[in-house]
């Protein structure tokens, strides 16, 4: 076994690897960028090496710096985690050329599966079923459009390199093919440095089911059953589970055999995932699944497999990479119970899942697992850490298991309702709504479920009068107490026989709320609210809430209602651009400008494309008007930057 390894990654996966390595007595080296100097993975590791500025291209994607750090610290092997360089065969070559061990598959295996089109041709030769489509080298638009017509619409354009939904477009009609192709190519080029695509038949009711495989250098390959990752938004996974709901013995046998066959076809060693698309329009059948791609690394959702098989896949990675045989044979790997993983992100579900930034002023996960379940929290952040625009905005993975699917799902809902995060917009309310969705609860899930139910899943009910009153009470002592002190003591100085009242203002969204807070002789607090609440409430028990600079967040189930607390001494800046301008909803890069200064545009017309976290977001006109100013291509903008300003006469 290795004495010391370097982890070429950050965040929760780096912390995850460190925990297993520590249990096995293996020392760890972390690497970090400027933005991560105080990160949790840096604190947890035995050693840490700075590798560059915050942008990934200058730090976490610099294989030369990472290899140099490993050599300088005496590490014997490098664990890539997932993302970044984990599926880069050139990096594997760099590692091995330096005399180090890459904890993962060979460069040849990664290359064999790295390009979706070549991988599918290889799988066809190995007898693994693949989705009907065009996987050839020619990339002329005329040819691709012709192939799309042959396949039959709807079709799916997919980047041949990479994954995570980037460079992917669904096309319903031939007239939309050209624009969809251009968007997919731009996104693929930005994310993977390769704008080539493949075109496939779009399956009408697709289930995304994948099989965890593991191989060693002695030619042994096993599977650890399947995971269902069909709950997706924007082609990215949201809640994963194991095993797949509704799985039949016949389909499991066919799918796991195909997965093992695929791994053996490339002499695979290490952890890998064979992803399949399944047509669920007529139930799960053994002849209705097709190979999509192979992820030649550990997956984000690997904990659900660990939960239901009782394994530690990171330990397996270390053992296999150090030259040992697989820890278990196929007959020794059993399936027990059911597990869910919910990905908690800093994102605004109501705004199309736009990534968010901010400081995690309050971060609290459940202290114990719900009754009858077990739970683990995979995170790389702590209270006070910032969500940076430079990296994926994942905050944590909440993983639970139970004796069956229903028990595990109930445990997931309870755990989400006990999770408290303030300081950034997060998706816990959305996750809670999805866990409670009737179709999802029944196991009737496919990749289009979230899209079909998105309005209901992302709708947050307005705060009740009780929630507003609690926020007002907590805010009433904002000028006199620190955010960490008990907000319920802020009125302790009120006279019992001559009650004093304190006027408090809050803002929720666009609503200004005025409240009058007083303390009653019996120790209760009375909060009188103006319109639209028009109520007076008596409060005694403290609800779940968090005070943070300029804000109060009150938690109700999985929803966190955040109220701004205006500073009464600060002069409000009411010079808002309003409808006369469009501002950046998040930090990003102006990738493409589709209008010009002086041009007259109509409502809904796309004006520019903002790239943030390697995803493209179209900024469209909110009304008819004439453009007075527009951002330039290549401009790096921050949250709130004016992108488009309209001429004043637009509203005349």
């Amino acid at each position: 076994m290795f004495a010391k390894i370097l982890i070429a990654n950050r965040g929760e996966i780096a912390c995850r690897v460190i925990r297993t390595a520590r249990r096995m007595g293996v020392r760890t080296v972390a690497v970090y960028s400027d933005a991560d100097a105080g990160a949790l993975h840096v604190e947890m590791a035995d050693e840490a090496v700075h590798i560059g500025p915050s942008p990934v291209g200058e730090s976490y994607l610099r294989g030369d710096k990472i290899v140099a750090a490993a050599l300088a610290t005496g590490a014997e092997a490098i664990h890539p985690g997932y993302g970044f360089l984990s599926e880069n065969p050139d990096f594997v070559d760099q590692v091995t050329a330096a005399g180090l061990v890459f904890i993962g598959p060979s460069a040849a295996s990664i290359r064999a599966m790295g390009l979706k089109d070549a991988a599918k041709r290889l799988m066809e030769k190995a007898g693994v079923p693949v989705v009907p489509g065009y996987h050839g080298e020619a990339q002329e638009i005329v040819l691709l459009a012709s192939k799309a017509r042959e396949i039959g619409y709807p079709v799916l354009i997919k980047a041949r390199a990479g994954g995570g939904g980037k460079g992917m477009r669904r096309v319903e009609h031939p007239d939309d093919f050209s624009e969809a192709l251009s968007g997919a190519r731009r996104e693929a080029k930005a994310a993977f440095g390769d704008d080539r695509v493949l075109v496939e038949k779009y399956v009408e009711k697709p289930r995304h089911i994948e099989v965890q495989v593991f191989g060693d250098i002695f030619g042994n390959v096993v599977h650890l059953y399947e995971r269902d990752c069909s709950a997706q938004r924007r082609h990215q996974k949201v809640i994963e589970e194991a095993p797949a709901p509704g799985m039949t013995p016949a389909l499991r046998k066919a799918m796991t055999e195909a997965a093992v066959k695929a791994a053996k076809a490339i002499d695979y060693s290490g952890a890998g995932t064979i992803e399949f698309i399944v047509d669920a329009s007529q139930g799960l059948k053994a002849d209705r699944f097709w190979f999509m791609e192979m992820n030649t690394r550990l997956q984000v959702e690997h904990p659900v497999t660990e939960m239901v098989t009782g394994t530690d896949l990171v330990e397996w990675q270390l053992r296999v990479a150090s030259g040992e045989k697989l820890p278990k044979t196929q007959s020794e790997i059993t399936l027990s119970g059911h597990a869910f993983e919910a990905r908690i992100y800093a994102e605004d579900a109501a705004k199309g899942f736009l990534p968010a930034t901010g400081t995690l002023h309050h971060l609290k996960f459940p202290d114990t697992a719900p009754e009858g379940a077990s739970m683990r929290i995979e995170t790389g952040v702590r209270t006070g850490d910032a969500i940076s625009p430079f990296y994926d905005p994942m905050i944590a993975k909440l993983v639970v298991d139970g004796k069956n699917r229903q028990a595990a799902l109930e445990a997931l809902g309870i755990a989400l309702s006990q999770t408290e995060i303030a300081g950034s917009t997060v998706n816990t309310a959305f996750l809670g709504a999805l866990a409670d969705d009737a179709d999802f609860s029944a196991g009737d899930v496919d990749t289009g479920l979230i899209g079909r139910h998105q309005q209901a899943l992302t709708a947050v009910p307005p705060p009740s009068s009780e929630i507003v009153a609690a926020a007002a009470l907590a805010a009433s002592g904002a000028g006199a107490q620190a955010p960490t002190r008990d907000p319920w003591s802020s009125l302790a100085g009120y006279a019992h026989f001559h009650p004093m009242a304190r006027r408090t203002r809050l803002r929720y969204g666009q609503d200004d709320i005025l409240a009058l807070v007083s303390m009653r002789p019996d120790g209760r607090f009375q909060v009188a609210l103006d319109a639209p609440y028009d109520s007076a409430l008596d409060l005694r028990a403290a609800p779940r809430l968090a005070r943070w600079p300029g804000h109060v967040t009150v938690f109700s189930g999985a929803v966190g209602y955040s109220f701004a607390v205006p500073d009464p001494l600060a002069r409000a800046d009411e010079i808002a651009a309003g409808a006369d301008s469009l501002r950046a909803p998040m930090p990003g890069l102006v990738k493409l400008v589709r209008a010009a200064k002086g041009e007259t545009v109509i409502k809904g017309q796309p004006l520019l494309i903002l790239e943030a976290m390697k995803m493209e977001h179209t900024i469209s006109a909110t009304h008819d008007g004439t453009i007075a100013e527009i951002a330039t291509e290549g401009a790096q903008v921050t949250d709130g930057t004016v992108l488009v300003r309209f001429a004043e006469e637009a509203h005349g």
Side-chain angles (χ1 to χ4, degrees):
M1 181 49 61
F2 307 114
K4 182 189 292 187
I5 64 171
L6 180 142
I7 303 164
N9 219 295
R10 64 176 301 280
E12 60 90 13
I13 184 56
C15 296
R16 162 76 185 88
V17 174
I18 290 170
R19 284 194 295 272
T20 289
R22 180 181 295 162
R23 178 176 58 78
M24 297 175 67
V26 178
R27 291 179 61 80
T28 55
V29 179
V31 293
Y32 64 94
S33 68
D34 289 347
D36 281 339
L40 181 59
H41 75 280
V42 175
E43 178 184 297
M44 288 179 63
D46 296 299
E47 301 174 57
V49 178
H50 177 252
I51 54 171
S54 301
V56 294
E58 300 175 52
S59 51
Y60 294 107
L61 291 180
R62 286 292 301 272
D64 56 337
K65 290 186 176 182
I66 291 170
V67 169
L71 294 173
T73 55
E76 303 159 75
I78 294 179
H79 193 299
Y82 46 69
F84 296 143
L85 296 170
S86 63
E87 294 181 283
N88 186 320
D90 294 335
F91 177 62
V92 180
D93 288 337
Q94 279 183 285
V95 172
T96 55
L100 302 169
V101 175
F102 180 77
I103 302 175
S106 67
S109 292
I110 295 176
R111 287 191 175 98
M113 288 296 188
L115 298 178
K116 294 183 179 68
D117 50 357
K120 289 182 179 182
R121 291 196 295 269
L122 179 63
M123 291 299 98
E124 284 181 302
K125 291 180 181 178
V128 177
V130 300
V131 180
Y134 172 72
H135 309 134
E137 292 290 336
Q139 293 288 300
E140 293 80 6
I141 185 172
V142 174
L143 174 67
L144 294 175
S146 173
K147 293 296 183 182
R149 285 192 296 271
E150 289 178 16
I151 295 165
Y153 285 88
V155 298
L156 197 62
I157 300 173
K158 299 171 66 175
R160 64 178 244 162
K166 298 179 178 69
M168 185 180 293
R169 296 289 189 279
R170 176 182 175 177
V171 190
E172 297 283 350
H173 193 275
D175 292 345
D176 302 325
F177 187 84
S178 178
E179 185 171 357
L181 177 63
S182 297
R185 281 176 164 167
R186 282 195 307 271
E187 201 167 272
K189 183 70 174 178
F192 316 118
D194 185 344
D195 66 357
R196 289 171 292 180
V197 301
L198 49 86
V199 183
E200 292 180 343
K201 177 66 179 175
Y202 183 83
V203 179
E204 291 295 342
K205 191 174 182 181
R207 288 272 296 273
H208 182 141
I209 301 177
E210 60 191 31
V211 176
Q212 176 73 58
V213 293
F214 222 106
D216 62 25
I217 61 174
F218 303 98
N220 302 305
V221 177
V222 297
H223 71 80
L224 291 94
Y225 300 95
E226 81 282 350
R227 300 183 286 258
D228 193 300
C229 307
S230 301
Q232 302 179 8
R233 48 90 174 127
R234 296 173 65 172
H235 304 295
Q236 293 185 312
K237 302 165 187 175
V238 175
I239 294 180
E240 303 97 344
E241 60 183 298
M247 176 58 71
T248 65
L251 178 57
R252 176 174 288 148
K253 182 175 185 296
M255 190 174 283
T256 54
E257 287 179 353
V260 171
K261 186 185 297 183
K264 287 185 174 180
I266 57 171
D267 298 321
Y268 196 78
S269 176
T273 301
I274 310 296
E275 299 193 349
F276 295 101
I277 188 167
V278 182
D279 183 356
S281 59
Q282 300 176 20
L284 298 184
K285 296 185 177 181
D287 62 349
R288 302 294 290 169
F289 76 95
W290 303 279
F291 172 86
M292 283 200 304
E293 62 183 346
M294 181 177 188
N295 293 119
T296 51
R297 54 170 169 77
L298 199 65
Q299 290 279 84
V300 178
E301 59 272 19
H302 76 274
V304 293
T305 293
E306 294 181 323
M307 290 286 228
V308 297
T309 59
T311 57
D312 183 332
L313 295 180
V314 173
E315 178 181 343
W316 281 35
Q317 285 186 299
L318 297 180
R319 293 195 180 283
V320 166
S322 66
E324 297 182 22
K325 288 186 176 181
L326 289 173
K328 291 184 178 181
T329 63
Q330 189 65 68
S331 62
E332 294 173 318
I333 302 170
T334 58
L335 190 62
S336 177
H338 202 101
F340 284 95
E341 173 183 289
R343 302 188 188 190
I344 300 176
Y345 278 96
E347 65 181 12
D348 194 335
K351 293 182 178 179
F353 303 102
L354 282 176
T357 55
T359 299
L360 301 174
H361 291 285
H362 178 82
L363 182 64
K364 182 176 183 296
F365 298 108
D367 295 324
T368 59
E371 186 177 356
S374 58
M375 177 183 67
R376 55 194 269 194
I377 306 295
E378 300 285 354
T379 186
V381 295
R382 303 148 297 186
T383 296
D385 285 350
I387 301 299
S388 165
F390 294 105
Y391 314 119
D392 185 275
M394 181 186 288
I395 294 173
K397 300 183 309 193
L398 177 60
V399 191
V400 298
D401 76 341
K403 62 181 180 180
N404 53 44
R405 189 176 191 271
Q406 186 58 38
L409 190 58
E410 289 176 0
L412 177 65
I414 292 171
L416 285 168
S417 72
Q418 295 174 348
T419 298
E420 302 175 3
I421 304 173
S424 178
T425 302
V426 295
N427 69 338
T428 50
F430 163 72
L431 293 172
L434 179 57
D436 196 47
D437 178 83
D439 287 345
F440 187 82
S441 296
D444 184 15
V445 58
D446 61 79
T447 59
L449 183 144
I450 290 176
R452 292 192 302 273
H453 299 188
Q454 186 165 331
Q455 185 172 356
L457 293 174
T458 58
V460 176
S464 65
S465 296
E466 289 76 11
I467 289 173
V468 177
L473 181 55
S476 63
Q481 66 181 73
T484 55
R485 289 183 54 191
D486 174 19
W488 305 97
S489 64
S490 62
L491 302 179
Y494 279 22
H496 285 275
F497 299 105
H498 301 285
M500 299 173 61
R502 181 175 298 180
R503 194 176 299 274
T504 300
R505 289 187 178 275
L506 300 172
R507 173 168 288 182
Y508 181 76
Q510 300 301 313
D511 296 334
D512 286 313
I513 304 168
L514 180 63
L516 196 65
V517 182
S518 58
M519 187 173 185
R520 297 168 57 96
D522 61 4
R524 288 180 297 171
F525 299 99
Q526 185 175 74
V527 182
L529 302 172
D530 279 357
Y533 301 96
D534 288 324
S535 59
L537 299 97
D538 289 346
L539 302 178
R540 183 185 295 275
R544 299 159 53 219
L545 58 81
R547 289 274 315 279
W548 48 289
H551 296 80
V552 172
T553 298
V554 180
F555 301 100
S556 177
V559 183
Y561 292 96
S562 290
F563 298 83
V565 183
D567 182 349
L569 300 179
R571 184 179 180 182
D573 180 7
E574 298 296 338
I575 307 173
D580 291 328
S581 65
L582 299 176
R583 296 176 180 268
M586 57 194 298
L589 173 73
V590 178
K591 190 70 173 181
L592 182 67
V593 175
R594 305 177 69 173
K597 181 178 180 180
E599 182 178 341
T600 299
V601 298
I602 61 174
K603 182 178 179 180
Q605 180 176 334
L607 303 181
L608 54 84
I609 292 176
L610 182 70
E611 181 188 81
M613 299 180 185
K614 298 190 177 179
M615 296 292 284
E616 292 186 353
H617 310 276
T618 300
I619 307 298
S620 300
T622 54
H623 56 79
D624 297 350
T626 302
I627 295 178
E629 298 177 31
I630 191 164
T632 56
E633 285 188 12
Q636 190 77 41
V637 298
T638 59
D639 186 8
T641 299
V642 174
L643 300 175
V644 181
R645 195 181 303 279
F646 294 96
E648 292 184 8
E649 62 269 22
H651 302 298

